[in-house]
Amino acid sequence: GDSVTQMEGPVTLSEEAFLTINCTYTATGYPSLFWYVQYPGEGLQLLLKATKADDKGSNKGFEATYRKETTSFHLEKGSVQVSDSAVYFCALSDRDDYKLSFGAGTTVTVRA
Amino acid sequence: GAVVSQHPSWVICKSGTSVKIECRSLDFQATTMFWYRQFPKQSLMLMATSNEGSKATYEQGVEKDKFLINHASLTLSTLTVTSAHPEDSSFYICSARTGNGYTFGSGTRLTVV
């Protein structure tokens, strides 16, 4: 079945550092790919998404490119802020049943 | 944008009692609602998929008699944890499909004492 493998955390960074969170997937078809962010005590918020190969999703300085050849969707941000401290989830959606499969989540802590 | 309102945000209940969690789509019709459970520091696990007017489809290993899901209207889906026990303590999140992807409720922290 479909699955998502996400870089394990926790990740601790200093402000203005570069952030990369690796995500690879396994899918039989052509899934849509997502990054969600969860702040403490809250539900998930969509950060960005890509629906086909070579698409680049971007939002709030974060970027991720749908790489079919490497089955990857790595999340990057060039200069993180304290407010970026959260748990980040990579996810894919099977277009047949629209179920979301999530990675394990990566906790990111940014220190001032 | 599409908003799903989830209530309550937290609840504490005694062992053996039942708890109902509601998810309402505020500005759109949610034909499909997904219910997830999240253990501390872990990912979201899909429990079931509900479609308006039909029985929910449960994932393998999820007890349908314990986690009752009702999706009686296009704007309301409910999850009832029946005869709750401490091991049911968790963070429950609903999610609805929208034209642009998915929107999530803010989650319900259930603590069974």
Side-chain angles (χ1 to χ4, degrees), chain B residues 60-92:
Chain B
Q60 191 172 8
V62 177
E63 299 176 62
K64 62 181 180 181
D65 293 331
K66 181 168 189 59
F67 298 100
L68 301 179
I69 291 173
N70 185 285
H71 196 158
S73 77
L74 288 171
T75 59
L76 176 64
S77 179
T78 61
L79 165 66
T80 301
V81 183
T82 63
S83 187
H85 292 284
E87 57 265 30
D88 299 323
S89 298
S90 192
F91 194 59
Y92 294 88

Side-chain angles (χ1 to χ4, degrees), chain A residues 38 43 49 93 98-99 103, chain B residues 36 38 43 59 100 102 104 106:
Chain A
Q38 184 179 33
K49 69 174 186 179
S93 168
Y98 297 99
K99 293 180 181 179
Chain B
Y36 295 87
Q38 185 181 28
S43 189
E59 296 299 302
N100 197 33
Y102 304 83
F104 286 79
S106 55

Side-chain angles (χ1 to χ4, degrees), chain A residues 45-74:
Chain A
Q45 301 175 26
L46 177 65
L47 183 58
L48 52 84
K49 69 174 186 179
T51 58
K52 61 183 187 295
D54 298 326
D55 268 2
K56 176 186 283 189
S58 61
N59 185 27
K60 299 181 181 179
F62 290 89
E63 292 184 342
T65 301
Y66 190 145
R67 300 288 188 196
K68 190 172 183 293
E69 64 276 13
T70 55
T71 61
S72 65
F73 193 54
H74 304 322

Side-chain angles (χ1 to χ4, degrees), chain A residues 34 36 38 41-46 49 89 93-94 97-100 102-105, chain B residues 34 36 38 41-44 46 49 59 91 93 95 97 100-102 104-107:
Chain A
F34 305 82
Y36 284 91
Q38 184 179 33
E42 298 184 13
L44 272 69
Q45 301 175 26
L46 177 65
K49 69 174 186 179
F89 292 94
S93 168
D94 184 318
D97 61 16
Y98 297 99
K99 293 180 181 179
L100 277 172
F102 286 88
Chain B
F34 302 94
Y36 295 87
Q38 185 181 28
K41 298 185 179 180
Q42 294 188 29
S43 189
L44 282 74
L46 180 64
T49 303
E59 296 299 302
F91 194 59
I93 306 176
S95 173
R97 277 193 59 212
N100 197 33
Y102 304 83
F104 286 79
S106 55

